[in-house]
Amino acid sequence: EDKVVQSPLSLVVHEGDTVTLNCSYEVTNFRSLLWYKQEKKAPTFLFMLTSSGIEKKSGRLSSILDKKELFSILNITATQTGDSAVYLCAVENNNDMRFGAGTRLTVKP
Amino acid sequence: GAGVSQSPSNKVTEKGKDVELRCDPISGHTALYWYRQSLGQGLEFLIYFQGNSAPDKSGLPSDRFSAERTGGSVSTLTIQRTQQEDSAVYLCASSTQGAWAEKLFFGSGTQLSVL
């Protein structure tokens, strides 16, 4: 059965810390892996990853995919309180897009 | 509109009543998705519309759930004879091409509470 597992489920850090969020997956006919940031109710797109080993970067956020070991990480450096959110990982195959349960990140001042 | 619009933002209903949730996708987006998110859970796929093709209903949890998309734009998700386990946030998303190919633009969702 296809599945997407995120860890940790929740994380509390202080401003300025660096965090690494994990997403592992088992899907058939993998096409892409996506990261979303969910504040309140609406997820917003962060990254789409299709190739192994190529880091995608946006400001303090970066992500990389390992298609051999079937996982991705999302890094956030110099965290700010505005980074507090649920971070969702989604994996797409030919027929479906399956989401993980998310990692709830809380950044304290 | 500028983004995906959902209404109502909150809905409280009594067990056994029917509810309708509305989604207005981004203009020009041919693909429309409905998801459900229960507390502490990931997004659960419900149904997917792509253009004029027959919708992919494979995620609907029971026959109490149905959805339609009129004129290739606005969509309505209907839940009949609501149960307490239907309580969740119902999220709608749209994209330009569909087929799960790309990033989705999400609405703010409808928080459904069944008492």
PDB file of all heavy atoms in Angstrom, chain A residues 31-32 34 36 38 41-43 45 48 88 92-97 99-102, chain B residues 9 35 37 40-43 56 89 91 99-104 106-109 111:
ATOM      1  N   ARG A  31       6.208  10.038  -9.318  1.00  0.00           N
ATOM      2  CA  ARG A  31       6.401  11.128 -10.282  1.00  0.00           C
ATOM      3  C   ARG A  31       7.057  12.343  -9.634  1.00  0.00           C
ATOM      4  O   ARG A  31       7.959  12.951 -10.188  1.00  0.00           O
ATOM      5  CB  ARG A  31       5.070  11.548 -10.907  1.00  0.00           C
ATOM      6  CG  ARG A  31       4.506  10.530 -11.852  1.00  0.00           C
ATOM      7  CD  ARG A  31       3.253  11.011 -12.522  1.00  0.00           C
ATOM      8  NE  ARG A  31       3.476  12.198 -13.341  1.00  0.00           N
ATOM      9  CZ  ARG A  31       2.552  12.740 -14.110  1.00  0.00           C
ATOM     10  NH1 ARG A  31       1.352  12.219 -14.151  1.00  0.00           N
ATOM     11  NH2 ARG A  31       2.808  13.818 -14.818  1.00  0.00           N
ATOM     12  N   SER A  32       6.569  12.727  -8.452  1.00  0.00           N
ATOM     13  CA  SER A  32       7.148  13.912  -7.826  1.00  0.00           C
ATOM     14  C   SER A  32       6.802  13.928  -6.348  1.00  0.00           C
ATOM     15  O   SER A  32       5.900  13.233  -5.888  1.00  0.00           O
ATOM     16  CB  SER A  32       6.626  15.190  -8.495  1.00  0.00           C
ATOM     17  OG  SER A  32       5.246  15.340  -8.259  1.00  0.00           O
ATOM     18  N   LEU A  34       6.154  16.813  -3.223  1.00  0.00           N
ATOM     19  CA  LEU A  34       5.883  18.233  -3.012  1.00  0.00           C
ATOM     20  C   LEU A  34       5.838  18.536  -1.519  1.00  0.00           C
ATOM     21  O   LEU A  34       5.399  17.710  -0.720  1.00  0.00           O
ATOM     22  CB  LEU A  34       4.548  18.626  -3.642  1.00  0.00           C
ATOM     23  CG  LEU A  34       4.446  18.420  -5.143  1.00  0.00           C
ATOM     24  CD1 LEU A  34       3.804  17.082  -5.475  1.00  0.00           C
ATOM     25  CD2 LEU A  34       3.647  19.542  -5.788  1.00  0.00           C
ATOM     26  N   TYR A  36       4.360  21.425   1.235  1.00  0.00           N
ATOM     27  CA  TYR A  36       3.427  22.513   1.443  1.00  0.00           C
ATOM     28  C   TYR A  36       3.574  23.022   2.868  1.00  0.00           C
ATOM     29  O   TYR A  36       3.876  22.265   3.793  1.00  0.00           O
ATOM     30  CB  TYR A  36       1.975  22.063   1.246  1.00  0.00           C
ATOM     31  CG  TYR A  36       1.585  21.764  -0.171  1.00  0.00           C
ATOM     32  CD1 TYR A  36       1.810  20.510  -0.731  1.00  0.00           C
ATOM     33  CD2 TYR A  36       0.969  22.734  -0.962  1.00  0.00           C
ATOM     34  CE1 TYR A  36       1.453  20.232  -2.040  1.00  0.00           C
ATOM     35  CE2 TYR A  36       0.596  22.454  -2.265  1.00  0.00           C
ATOM     36  CZ  TYR A  36       0.841  21.207  -2.795  1.00  0.00           C
ATOM     37  OH  TYR A  36       0.481  20.936  -4.082  1.00  0.00           O
ATOM     38  N   GLN A  38       1.260  24.733   5.758  1.00  0.00           N
ATOM     39  CA  GLN A  38      -0.138  24.965   6.079  1.00  0.00           C
ATOM     40  C   GLN A  38      -0.248  25.799   7.348  1.00  0.00           C
ATOM     41  O   GLN A  38       0.074  25.352   8.436  1.00  0.00           O
ATOM     42  CB  GLN A  38      -0.900  23.653   6.247  1.00  0.00           C
ATOM     43  CG  GLN A  38      -2.372  23.850   6.496  1.00  0.00           C
ATOM     44  CD  GLN A  38      -3.137  22.542   6.531  1.00  0.00           C
ATOM     45  OE1 GLN A  38      -2.549  21.479   6.657  1.00  0.00           O
ATOM     46  NE2 GLN A  38      -4.451  22.625   6.424  1.00  0.00           N
ATOM     47  N   LYS A  41      -5.761  27.068   7.639  1.00  0.00           N
ATOM     48  CA  LYS A  41      -6.373  25.975   6.900  1.00  0.00           C
ATOM     49  C   LYS A  41      -5.833  25.746   5.493  1.00  0.00           C
ATOM     50  O   LYS A  41      -5.928  24.642   4.977  1.00  0.00           O
ATOM     51  CB  LYS A  41      -7.883  26.178   6.833  1.00  0.00           C
ATOM     52  CG  LYS A  41      -8.572  25.949   8.165  1.00  0.00           C
ATOM     53  CD  LYS A  41     -10.078  25.931   8.022  1.00  0.00           C
ATOM     54  CE  LYS A  41     -10.665  27.294   7.866  1.00  0.00           C
ATOM     55  NZ  LYS A  41     -12.158  27.263   7.918  1.00  0.00           N
ATOM     56  N   ALA A  42      -5.293  26.770   4.841  1.00  0.00           N
ATOM     57  CA  ALA A  42      -4.954  26.603   3.428  1.00  0.00           C
ATOM     58  C   ALA A  42      -3.475  26.312   3.217  1.00  0.00           C
ATOM     59  O   ALA A  42      -2.633  27.141   3.519  1.00  0.00           O
ATOM     60  CB  ALA A  42      -5.341  27.856   2.650  1.00  0.00           C
ATOM     61  N   PRO A  43      -3.129  25.156   2.693  1.00  0.00           N
ATOM     62  CA  PRO A  43      -1.721  24.873   2.393  1.00  0.00           C
ATOM     63  C   PRO A  43      -1.227  25.737   1.241  1.00  0.00           C
ATOM     64  O   PRO A  43      -1.954  25.979   0.283  1.00  0.00           O
ATOM     65  CB  PRO A  43      -1.731  23.398   1.986  1.00  0.00           C
ATOM     66  CG  PRO A  43      -3.032  22.851   2.445  1.00  0.00           C
ATOM     67  CD  PRO A  43      -3.985  24.003   2.427  1.00  0.00           C
ATOM     68  N   PHE A  45       2.084  26.182  -1.491  1.00  0.00           N
ATOM     69  CA  PHE A  45       3.136  25.387  -2.132  1.00  0.00           C
ATOM     70  C   PHE A  45       4.514  25.912  -1.768  1.00  0.00           C
ATOM     71  O   PHE A  45       4.749  27.123  -1.742  1.00  0.00           O
ATOM     72  CB  PHE A  45       2.925  25.458  -3.640  1.00  0.00           C
ATOM     73  CG  PHE A  45       4.016  24.839  -4.449  1.00  0.00           C
ATOM     74  CD1 PHE A  45       4.070  23.478  -4.648  1.00  0.00           C
ATOM     75  CD2 PHE A  45       4.983  25.642  -5.037  1.00  0.00           C
ATOM     76  CE1 PHE A  45       5.067  22.921  -5.414  1.00  0.00           C
ATOM     77  CE2 PHE A  45       5.992  25.082  -5.797  1.00  0.00           C
ATOM     78  CZ  PHE A  45       6.032  23.721  -5.984  1.00  0.00           C
ATOM     79  N   MET A  48       8.505  21.521  -5.412  1.00  0.00           N
ATOM     80  CA  MET A  48       8.247  20.264  -6.101  1.00  0.00           C
ATOM     81  C   MET A  48       9.591  19.655  -6.476  1.00  0.00           C
ATOM     82  O   MET A  48      10.441  20.339  -7.042  1.00  0.00           O
ATOM     83  CB  MET A  48       7.408  20.470  -7.363  1.00  0.00           C
ATOM     84  CG  MET A  48       7.241  19.197  -8.168  1.00  0.00           C
ATOM     85  SD  MET A  48       6.386  19.462  -9.740  1.00  0.00           S
ATOM     86  CE  MET A  48       4.695  19.370  -9.194  1.00  0.00           C
ATOM     87  N   LEU A  88       3.449  19.948   5.189  1.00  0.00           N
ATOM     88  CA  LEU A  88       2.912  18.740   4.579  1.00  0.00           C
ATOM     89  C   LEU A  88       3.786  18.285   3.429  1.00  0.00           C
ATOM     90  O   LEU A  88       4.232  19.099   2.619  1.00  0.00           O
ATOM     91  CB  LEU A  88       1.501  18.999   4.044  1.00  0.00           C
ATOM     92  CG  LEU A  88       0.397  19.197   5.078  1.00  0.00           C
ATOM     93  CD1 LEU A  88      -0.838  19.785   4.429  1.00  0.00           C
ATOM     94  CD2 LEU A  88       0.047  17.886   5.756  1.00  0.00           C
ATOM     95  N   GLU A  92       3.298  12.230  -5.492  1.00  0.00           N
ATOM     96  CA  GLU A  92       2.435  12.023  -6.639  1.00  0.00           C
ATOM     97  C   GLU A  92       2.904  10.807  -7.434  1.00  0.00           C
ATOM     98  O   GLU A  92       4.094  10.643  -7.673  1.00  0.00           O
ATOM     99  CB  GLU A  92       2.492  13.258  -7.531  1.00  0.00           C
ATOM    100  CG  GLU A  92       1.709  13.164  -8.805  1.00  0.00           C
ATOM    101  CD  GLU A  92       2.254  14.073  -9.878  1.00  0.00           C
ATOM    102  OE1 GLU A  92       3.199  14.830  -9.613  1.00  0.00           O
ATOM    103  OE2 GLU A  92       1.747  14.019 -11.012  1.00  0.00           O
ATOM    104  N   ASN A  93       1.937   9.962  -7.846  1.00  0.00           N
ATOM    105  CA  ASN A  93       2.270   8.934  -8.827  1.00  0.00           C
ATOM    106  C   ASN A  93       1.359   9.123 -10.017  1.00  0.00           C
ATOM    107  O   ASN A  93       0.803  10.205 -10.206  1.00  0.00           O
ATOM    108  CB  ASN A  93       2.194   7.534  -8.215  1.00  0.00           C
ATOM    109  CG  ASN A  93       0.793   7.182  -7.747  1.00  0.00           C
ATOM    110  OD1 ASN A  93      -0.178   7.885  -8.062  1.00  0.00           O
ATOM    111  ND2 ASN A  93       0.680   6.106  -7.005  1.00  0.00           N
ATOM    112  N   ASN A  94       1.187   8.101 -10.810  1.00  0.00           N
ATOM    113  CA  ASN A  94       0.413   8.290 -12.044  1.00  0.00           C
ATOM    114  C   ASN A  94      -1.066   8.509 -11.788  1.00  0.00           C
ATOM    115  O   ASN A  94      -1.782   8.979 -12.670  1.00  0.00           O
ATOM    116  CB  ASN A  94       0.594   7.074 -12.957  1.00  0.00           C
ATOM    117  CG  ASN A  94       1.997   7.020 -13.538  1.00  0.00           C
ATOM    118  OD1 ASN A  94       2.705   8.028 -13.579  1.00  0.00           O
ATOM    119  ND2 ASN A  94       2.411   5.840 -13.973  1.00  0.00           N
ATOM    120  N   ASN A  95      -1.540   8.120 -10.638  1.00  0.00           N
ATOM    121  CA  ASN A  95      -2.977   8.129 -10.421  1.00  0.00           C
ATOM    122  C   ASN A  95      -3.425   8.959  -9.234  1.00  0.00           C
ATOM    123  O   ASN A  95      -4.613   9.214  -9.083  1.00  0.00           O
ATOM    124  CB  ASN A  95      -3.478   6.700 -10.169  1.00  0.00           C
ATOM    125  CG  ASN A  95      -3.143   5.773 -11.314  1.00  0.00           C
ATOM    126  OD1 ASN A  95      -3.472   6.057 -12.458  1.00  0.00           O
ATOM    127  ND2 ASN A  95      -2.480   4.677 -11.010  1.00  0.00           N
ATOM    128  N   ASP A  96      -2.517   9.352  -8.398  1.00  0.00           N
ATOM    129  CA  ASP A  96      -2.934   9.816  -7.086  1.00  0.00           C
ATOM    130  C   ASP A  96      -1.914  10.801  -6.538  1.00  0.00           C
ATOM    131  O   ASP A  96      -0.775  10.875  -7.010  1.00  0.00           O
ATOM    132  CB  ASP A  96      -3.039   8.598  -6.146  1.00  0.00           C
ATOM    133  CG  ASP A  96      -3.861   8.878  -4.913  1.00  0.00           C
ATOM    134  OD1 ASP A  96      -4.253  10.038  -4.733  1.00  0.00           O
ATOM    135  OD2 ASP A  96      -4.110   7.936  -4.139  1.00  0.00           O
ATOM    136  N   MET A  97      -2.342  11.574  -5.575  1.00  0.00           N
ATOM    137  CA  MET A  97      -1.402  12.371  -4.797  1.00  0.00           C
ATOM    138  C   MET A  97      -1.713  12.085  -3.334  1.00  0.00           C
ATOM    139  O   MET A  97      -2.824  12.333  -2.888  1.00  0.00           O
ATOM    140  CB  MET A  97      -1.524  13.861  -5.094  1.00  0.00           C
ATOM    141  CG  MET A  97      -0.518  14.692  -4.302  1.00  0.00           C
ATOM    142  SD  MET A  97      -0.571  16.451  -4.722  1.00  0.00           S
ATOM    143  CE  MET A  97       0.236  16.458  -6.316  1.00  0.00           C
ATOM    144  N   PHE A  99      -0.872  12.478   0.723  1.00  0.00           N
ATOM    145  CA  PHE A  99      -0.252  13.389   1.683  1.00  0.00           C
ATOM    146  C   PHE A  99       0.151  12.658   2.959  1.00  0.00           C
ATOM    147  O   PHE A  99      -0.543  11.741   3.399  1.00  0.00           O
ATOM    148  CB  PHE A  99      -1.231  14.507   2.064  1.00  0.00           C
ATOM    149  CG  PHE A  99      -1.406  15.550   1.002  1.00  0.00           C
ATOM    150  CD1 PHE A  99      -2.232  15.322  -0.086  1.00  0.00           C
ATOM    151  CD2 PHE A  99      -0.764  16.774   1.090  1.00  0.00           C
ATOM    152  CE1 PHE A  99      -2.400  16.287  -1.072  1.00  0.00           C
ATOM    153  CE2 PHE A  99      -0.930  17.739   0.110  1.00  0.00           C
ATOM    154  CZ  PHE A  99      -1.753  17.499  -0.974  1.00  0.00           C
ATOM    155  N   GLY A 100       1.236  13.125   3.573  1.00  0.00           N
ATOM    156  CA  GLY A 100       1.581  12.671   4.909  1.00  0.00           C
ATOM    157  C   GLY A 100       0.742  13.405   5.944  1.00  0.00           C
ATOM    158  O   GLY A 100      -0.034  14.293   5.610  1.00  0.00           O
ATOM    159  N   ALA A 101       0.929  13.020   7.189  1.00  0.00           N
ATOM    160  CA  ALA A 101       0.139  13.621   8.274  1.00  0.00           C
ATOM    161  C   ALA A 101       0.666  14.993   8.668  1.00  0.00           C
ATOM    162  O   ALA A 101      -0.005  15.724   9.393  1.00  0.00           O
ATOM    163  CB  ALA A 101       0.121  12.699   9.483  1.00  0.00           C
ATOM    164  N   GLY A 102       1.856  15.335   8.190  1.00  0.00           N
ATOM    165  CA  GLY A 102       2.399  16.660   8.482  1.00  0.00           C
ATOM    166  C   GLY A 102       3.292  16.702   9.704  1.00  0.00           C
ATOM    167  O   GLY A 102       3.226  15.829  10.578  1.00  0.00           O
TER     168      GLY A 102
ATOM    169  N   SER B   9     -17.114  29.257   5.478  1.00  0.00           N
ATOM    170  CA  SER B   9     -15.833  28.979   6.119  1.00  0.00           C
ATOM    171  C   SER B   9     -16.027  28.062   7.317  1.00  0.00           C
ATOM    172  O   SER B   9     -15.138  27.283   7.664  1.00  0.00           O
ATOM    173  CB  SER B   9     -15.140  30.275   6.538  1.00  0.00           C
ATOM    174  OG  SER B   9     -15.983  31.036   7.373  1.00  0.00           O
ATOM    175  N   TYR B  35     -10.465  17.648  -0.835  1.00  0.00           N
ATOM    176  CA  TYR B  35      -9.756  16.869   0.190  1.00  0.00           C
ATOM    177  C   TYR B  35     -10.479  17.061   1.522  1.00  0.00           C
ATOM    178  O   TYR B  35     -11.198  18.040   1.730  1.00  0.00           O
ATOM    179  CB  TYR B  35      -8.315  17.356   0.368  1.00  0.00           C
ATOM    180  CG  TYR B  35      -7.401  17.085  -0.793  1.00  0.00           C
ATOM    181  CD1 TYR B  35      -7.234  18.023  -1.799  1.00  0.00           C
ATOM    182  CD2 TYR B  35      -6.676  15.897  -0.873  1.00  0.00           C
ATOM    183  CE1 TYR B  35      -6.373  17.780  -2.862  1.00  0.00           C
ATOM    184  CE2 TYR B  35      -5.822  15.650  -1.926  1.00  0.00           C
ATOM    185  CZ  TYR B  35      -5.671  16.601  -2.912  1.00  0.00           C
ATOM    186  OH  TYR B  35      -4.829  16.356  -3.960  1.00  0.00           O
ATOM    187  N   GLN B  37      -9.533  16.970   5.734  1.00  0.00           N
ATOM    188  CA  GLN B  37      -8.466  16.898   6.731  1.00  0.00           C
ATOM    189  C   GLN B  37      -9.071  16.816   8.116  1.00  0.00           C
ATOM    190  O   GLN B  37      -9.635  17.795   8.606  1.00  0.00           O
ATOM    191  CB  GLN B  37      -7.533  18.100   6.629  1.00  0.00           C
ATOM    192  CG  GLN B  37      -6.319  17.979   7.539  1.00  0.00           C
ATOM    193  CD  GLN B  37      -5.316  19.075   7.286  1.00  0.00           C
ATOM    194  OE1 GLN B  37      -5.667  20.185   6.905  1.00  0.00           O
ATOM    195  NE2 GLN B  37      -4.044  18.777   7.503  1.00  0.00           N
ATOM    196  N   GLY B  40      -5.333  16.528  13.096  1.00  0.00           N
ATOM    197  CA  GLY B  40      -4.085  15.807  13.258  1.00  0.00           C
ATOM    198  C   GLY B  40      -3.749  14.844  12.152  1.00  0.00           C
ATOM    199  O   GLY B  40      -2.760  14.123  12.232  1.00  0.00           O
ATOM    200  N   GLN B  41      -4.560  14.824  11.103  1.00  0.00           N
ATOM    201  CA  GLN B  41      -4.329  13.892   9.999  1.00  0.00           C
ATOM    202  C   GLN B  41      -3.842  14.625   8.760  1.00  0.00           C
ATOM    203  O   GLN B  41      -3.951  15.839   8.651  1.00  0.00           O
ATOM    204  CB  GLN B  41      -5.632  13.150   9.667  1.00  0.00           C
ATOM    205  CG  GLN B  41      -6.249  12.417  10.839  1.00  0.00           C
ATOM    206  CD  GLN B  41      -5.360  11.308  11.331  1.00  0.00           C
ATOM    207  OE1 GLN B  41      -4.844  10.514  10.545  1.00  0.00           O
ATOM    208  NE2 GLN B  41      -5.152  11.247  12.636  1.00  0.00           N
ATOM    209  N   GLY B  42      -3.316  13.879   7.834  1.00  0.00           N
ATOM    210  CA  GLY B  42      -2.949  14.450   6.548  1.00  0.00           C
ATOM    211  C   GLY B  42      -4.181  14.661   5.694  1.00  0.00           C
ATOM    212  O   GLY B  42      -5.295  14.366   6.092  1.00  0.00           O
ATOM    213  N   LEU B  43      -3.968  15.178   4.528  1.00  0.00           N
ATOM    214  CA  LEU B  43      -5.074  15.417   3.614  1.00  0.00           C
ATOM    215  C   LEU B  43      -5.541  14.100   3.002  1.00  0.00           C
ATOM    216  O   LEU B  43      -4.730  13.319   2.513  1.00  0.00           O
ATOM    217  CB  LEU B  43      -4.660  16.376   2.513  1.00  0.00           C
ATOM    218  CG  LEU B  43      -4.331  17.796   2.957  1.00  0.00           C
ATOM    219  CD1 LEU B  43      -3.917  18.624   1.762  1.00  0.00           C
ATOM    220  CD2 LEU B  43      -5.513  18.430   3.644  1.00  0.00           C
ATOM    221  N   ASP B  56     -13.043  11.549 -10.966  1.00  0.00           N
ATOM    222  CA  ASP B  56     -12.444  10.436 -10.222  1.00  0.00           C
ATOM    223  C   ASP B  56     -13.024  10.479  -8.814  1.00  0.00           C
ATOM    224  O   ASP B  56     -12.641  11.326  -8.011  1.00  0.00           O
ATOM    225  CB  ASP B  56     -10.926  10.589 -10.201  1.00  0.00           C
ATOM    226  CG  ASP B  56     -10.238   9.536  -9.346  1.00  0.00           C
ATOM    227  OD1 ASP B  56     -10.915   8.719  -8.702  1.00  0.00           O
ATOM    228  OD2 ASP B  56      -9.001   9.527  -9.325  1.00  0.00           O
ATOM    229  N   VAL B  89     -12.061  19.503   8.283  1.00  0.00           N
ATOM    230  CA  VAL B  89     -11.922  20.630   7.365  1.00  0.00           C
ATOM    231  C   VAL B  89     -11.943  20.068   5.949  1.00  0.00           C
ATOM    232  O   VAL B  89     -11.207  19.139   5.626  1.00  0.00           O
ATOM    233  CB  VAL B  89     -10.609  21.395   7.597  1.00  0.00           C
ATOM    234  CG1 VAL B  89     -10.440  22.490   6.541  1.00  0.00           C
ATOM    235  CG2 VAL B  89     -10.586  21.997   8.998  1.00  0.00           C
ATOM    236  N   LEU B  91     -11.160  20.808   2.203  1.00  0.00           N
ATOM    237  CA  LEU B  91     -10.336  21.707   1.398  1.00  0.00           C
ATOM    238  C   LEU B  91     -10.555  21.448  -0.082  1.00  0.00           C
ATOM    239  O   LEU B  91     -10.630  20.304  -0.517  1.00  0.00           O
ATOM    240  CB  LEU B  91      -8.849  21.499   1.706  1.00  0.00           C
ATOM    241  CG  LEU B  91      -8.348  22.090   3.017  1.00  0.00           C
ATOM    242  CD1 LEU B  91      -7.017  21.484   3.398  1.00  0.00           C
ATOM    243  CD2 LEU B  91      -8.197  23.600   2.887  1.00  0.00           C
ATOM    244  N   ALA B  99      -4.317  16.070 -13.604  1.00  0.00           N
ATOM    245  CA  ALA B  99      -3.589  14.800 -13.658  1.00  0.00           C
ATOM    246  C   ALA B  99      -2.505  14.751 -12.600  1.00  0.00           C
ATOM    247  O   ALA B  99      -1.474  14.138 -12.807  1.00  0.00           O
ATOM    248  CB  ALA B  99      -2.995  14.591 -15.048  1.00  0.00           C
ATOM    249  N   TRP B 100      -2.724  15.415 -11.502  1.00  0.00           N
ATOM    250  CA  TRP B 100      -1.845  15.385 -10.348  1.00  0.00           C
ATOM    251  C   TRP B 100      -0.454  15.919 -10.669  1.00  0.00           C
ATOM    252  O   TRP B 100       0.483  15.696  -9.942  1.00  0.00           O
ATOM    253  CB  TRP B 100      -1.690  13.958  -9.813  1.00  0.00           C
ATOM    254  CG  TRP B 100      -2.989  13.266  -9.636  1.00  0.00           C
ATOM    255  CD1 TRP B 100      -3.530  12.349 -10.477  1.00  0.00           C
ATOM    256  CD2 TRP B 100      -3.926  13.463  -8.602  1.00  0.00           C
ATOM    257  NE1 TRP B 100      -4.756  11.939 -10.000  1.00  0.00           N
ATOM    258  CE2 TRP B 100      -5.014  12.611  -8.860  1.00  0.00           C
ATOM    259  CE3 TRP B 100      -3.944  14.270  -7.460  1.00  0.00           C
ATOM    260  CZ2 TRP B 100      -6.114  12.552  -8.029  1.00  0.00           C
ATOM    261  CZ3 TRP B 100      -5.040  14.203  -6.629  1.00  0.00           C
ATOM    262  CH2 TRP B 100      -6.108  13.338  -6.920  1.00  0.00           C
ATOM    263  N   ALA B 101      -0.336  16.663 -11.781  1.00  0.00           N
ATOM    264  CA  ALA B 101       1.005  16.933 -12.292  1.00  0.00           C
ATOM    265  C   ALA B 101       1.737  18.042 -11.583  1.00  0.00           C
ATOM    266  O   ALA B 101       2.931  18.159 -11.722  1.00  0.00           O
ATOM    267  CB  ALA B 101       0.924  17.265 -13.776  1.00  0.00           C
ATOM    268  N   GLU B 102       1.049  18.849 -10.856  1.00  0.00           N
ATOM    269  CA  GLU B 102       1.726  20.069 -10.466  1.00  0.00           C
ATOM    270  C   GLU B 102       1.157  20.627  -9.179  1.00  0.00           C
ATOM    271  O   GLU B 102       0.321  20.027  -8.540  1.00  0.00           O
ATOM    272  CB  GLU B 102       1.549  21.095 -11.568  1.00  0.00           C
ATOM    273  CG  GLU B 102       0.059  21.326 -11.819  1.00  0.00           C
ATOM    274  CD  GLU B 102      -0.173  22.147 -13.053  1.00  0.00           C
ATOM    275  OE1 GLU B 102       0.551  21.926 -14.028  1.00  0.00           O
ATOM    276  OE2 GLU B 102      -1.058  22.994 -13.027  1.00  0.00           O
ATOM    277  N   LYS B 103       1.643  21.781  -8.861  1.00  0.00           N
ATOM    278  CA  LYS B 103       1.239  22.321  -7.585  1.00  0.00           C
ATOM    279  C   LYS B 103      -0.227  22.718  -7.612  1.00  0.00           C
ATOM    280  O   LYS B 103      -0.773  23.135  -8.619  1.00  0.00           O
ATOM    281  CB  LYS B 103       2.104  23.516  -7.221  1.00  0.00           C
ATOM    282  CG  LYS B 103       1.954  24.728  -8.099  1.00  0.00           C
ATOM    283  CD  LYS B 103       2.896  25.817  -7.602  1.00  0.00           C
ATOM    284  CE  LYS B 103       2.741  27.099  -8.399  1.00  0.00           C
ATOM    285  NZ  LYS B 103       3.659  28.149  -7.910  1.00  0.00           N
ATOM    286  N   LEU B 104      -0.817  22.538  -6.459  1.00  0.00           N
ATOM    287  CA  LEU B 104      -2.217  22.841  -6.270  1.00  0.00           C
ATOM    288  C   LEU B 104      -2.363  24.164  -5.532  1.00  0.00           C
ATOM    289  O   LEU B 104      -1.558  24.488  -4.675  1.00  0.00           O
ATOM    290  CB  LEU B 104      -2.894  21.735  -5.454  1.00  0.00           C
ATOM    291  CG  LEU B 104      -2.714  20.312  -5.962  1.00  0.00           C
ATOM    292  CD1 LEU B 104      -3.378  19.323  -5.014  1.00  0.00           C
ATOM    293  CD2 LEU B 104      -3.297  20.170  -7.355  1.00  0.00           C
ATOM    294  N   PHE B 106      -4.793  25.962  -2.995  1.00  0.00           N
ATOM    295  CA  PHE B 106      -5.832  25.555  -2.068  1.00  0.00           C
ATOM    296  C   PHE B 106      -6.692  26.730  -1.626  1.00  0.00           C
ATOM    297  O   PHE B 106      -6.214  27.867  -1.492  1.00  0.00           O
ATOM    298  CB  PHE B 106      -5.203  24.935  -0.811  1.00  0.00           C
ATOM    299  CG  PHE B 106      -4.679  23.543  -1.013  1.00  0.00           C
ATOM    300  CD1 PHE B 106      -3.402  23.335  -1.502  1.00  0.00           C
ATOM    301  CD2 PHE B 106      -5.465  22.445  -0.709  1.00  0.00           C
ATOM    302  CE1 PHE B 106      -2.908  22.053  -1.684  1.00  0.00           C
ATOM    303  CE2 PHE B 106      -4.983  21.154  -0.884  1.00  0.00           C
ATOM    304  CZ  PHE B 106      -3.702  20.967  -1.373  1.00  0.00           C
ATOM    305  N   GLY B 107      -7.946  26.437  -1.371  1.00  0.00           N
ATOM    306  CA  GLY B 107      -8.803  27.382  -0.676  1.00  0.00           C
ATOM    307  C   GLY B 107      -8.552  27.310   0.818  1.00  0.00           C
ATOM    308  O   GLY B 107      -7.740  26.504   1.286  1.00  0.00           O
ATOM    309  N   SER B 108      -9.266  28.142   1.551  1.00  0.00           N
ATOM    310  CA  SER B 108      -9.092  28.190   3.003  1.00  0.00           C
ATOM    311  C   SER B 108      -9.907  27.129   3.727  1.00  0.00           C
ATOM    312  O   SER B 108      -9.794  26.988   4.931  1.00  0.00           O
ATOM    313  CB  SER B 108      -9.460  29.569   3.541  1.00  0.00           C
ATOM    314  OG  SER B 108      -8.550  30.527   3.038  1.00  0.00           O
ATOM    315  N   GLY B 109     -10.731  26.420   2.982  1.00  0.00           N
ATOM    316  CA  GLY B 109     -11.447  25.296   3.563  1.00  0.00           C
ATOM    317  C   GLY B 109     -12.738  25.662   4.252  1.00  0.00           C
ATOM    318  O   GLY B 109     -13.030  26.826   4.529  1.00  0.00           O
ATOM    319  N   GLN B 111     -14.689  24.433   7.673  1.00  0.00           N
ATOM    320  CA  GLN B 111     -14.643  23.661   8.918  1.00  0.00           C
ATOM    321  C   GLN B 111     -16.048  23.147   9.201  1.00  0.00           C
ATOM    322  O   GLN B 111     -16.950  23.926   9.491  1.00  0.00           O
ATOM    323  CB  GLN B 111     -14.166  24.535  10.064  1.00  0.00           C
ATOM    324  CG  GLN B 111     -14.242  23.865  11.431  1.00  0.00           C
ATOM    325  CD  GLN B 111     -13.115  22.896  11.658  1.00  0.00           C
ATOM    326  OE1 GLN B 111     -11.949  23.262  11.641  1.00  0.00           O
ATOM    327  NE2 GLN B 111     -13.461  21.639  11.887  1.00  0.00           N
TER     328      GLN B 111
END
